[in-house]
Amino acid sequence: KGIRVETPLMPSPWKPDYRAFKNEFEKREVAKNTVLVGHSCGCAFIVRWLGETKQKISKVILVAPWKISYREDGSDKEFYEYPIDKTIRSRVKEMVIFTADNEEEDGKKSAKIFHEALGGKIIELKGRGHYTMNDMKTEEFPELLREICDTK
């Protein structure tokens, strides 16, 4: 489609660390025409980063967003538990949240938390789970591609 795409491999995504994610992420250029797509904990990172940096961008797409600490030892609280900067709405032209009818309850709650704070469009698809290969059984995600290409 002629769209330049970068997919940074974040350090230890199974044990996310905001500063480590930020160091890796900021090696990339983010501009006013950028579309950021996050998945799971990547959504929490993107929203926090946008709140801290006050960056203006075109669109944010959150796929199976997660915002709830789930480790019994609390080691992930620092990553997930932060106030969402509601002024992000004024700096991001479009916000889209993908969730699924069979997503885990905390995933559904997370999508609601982000939506209440940031608004935008929620797209709930059937049978996609947490939007992993295991849940979806395919690499195809035409709805995401459509949202990226339909950026205003």
Side-chain angles (χ1 to χ4, degrees):
K1 303 270 182 203
I3 300 170
R4 190 179 114 219
V5 176
E6 292 187 47
T7 309
L9 180 60
M10 297 309 222
S12 306
W14 57 90
K15 192 174 181 189
D17 175 273
Y18 180 75
R19 281 173 287 295
F21 273 38
K22 185 176 179 186
N23 288 339
E24 183 61 36
F25 182 77
E26 288 184 341
K27 294 176 184 176
R28 281 120 192 113
E29 179 185 346
V30 176
K32 66 180 183 178
N33 62 342
T34 297
V35 176
L36 293 177
V37 180
H39 173 257
S40 194
C41 71
C43 300
F45 169 77
I46 287 172
V47 171
R48 182 172 172 183
W49 184 85
L50 286 169
E52 288 182 2
T53 63
K54 309 303 184 206
Q55 175 72 45
K56 291 181 181 182
I57 64 168
S58 182
K59 191 173 200 173
V60 172
I61 302 173
L62 306 178
V63 179
W66 206 270
K67 176 102 176 61
I68 297 172
S69 172
Y70 62 92
R71 295 195 183 276
E72 288 186 27
D73 67 0
S75 62
D76 60 349
K77 284 185 181 229
E78 192 272 333
F79 189 85
Y80 290 109
E81 295 181 7
Y82 62 88
I84 297 172
D85 178 2
K86 294 181 181 181
T87 68
I88 290 170
R89 288 182 186 210
S90 67
R91 294 186 302 279
V92 175
K93 291 180 191 169
E94 293 180 81
M95 175 72 62
V96 177
I97 300 171
F98 280 96
T99 188
D101 61 342
N102 62 336
E103 168 67 293
E104 294 178 38
E105 281 307 308
D106 280 350
K108 289 179 181 182
K109 286 179 190 172
S110 295
K112 186 175 181 182
I113 290 168
F114 284 120
H115 186 256
E116 287 175 354
L118 302 172
K121 174 169 64 171
I122 292 181
I123 300 172
E124 182 180 273
L125 301 177
K126 294 193 181 302
R128 302 293 178 92
H130 195 60
Y131 289 84
T132 60
M133 178 64 82
N134 213 25
D135 289 344
M136 294 175 55
K137 309 286 189 249
T138 181
E139 291 182 5
E140 301 294 318
F141 192 173
E143 300 88 354
L144 175 60
L145 182 58
R146 201 167 22 257
E147 283 299 323
I148 293 168
C149 292
D150 287 348
T151 298
K152 295 174 185 154

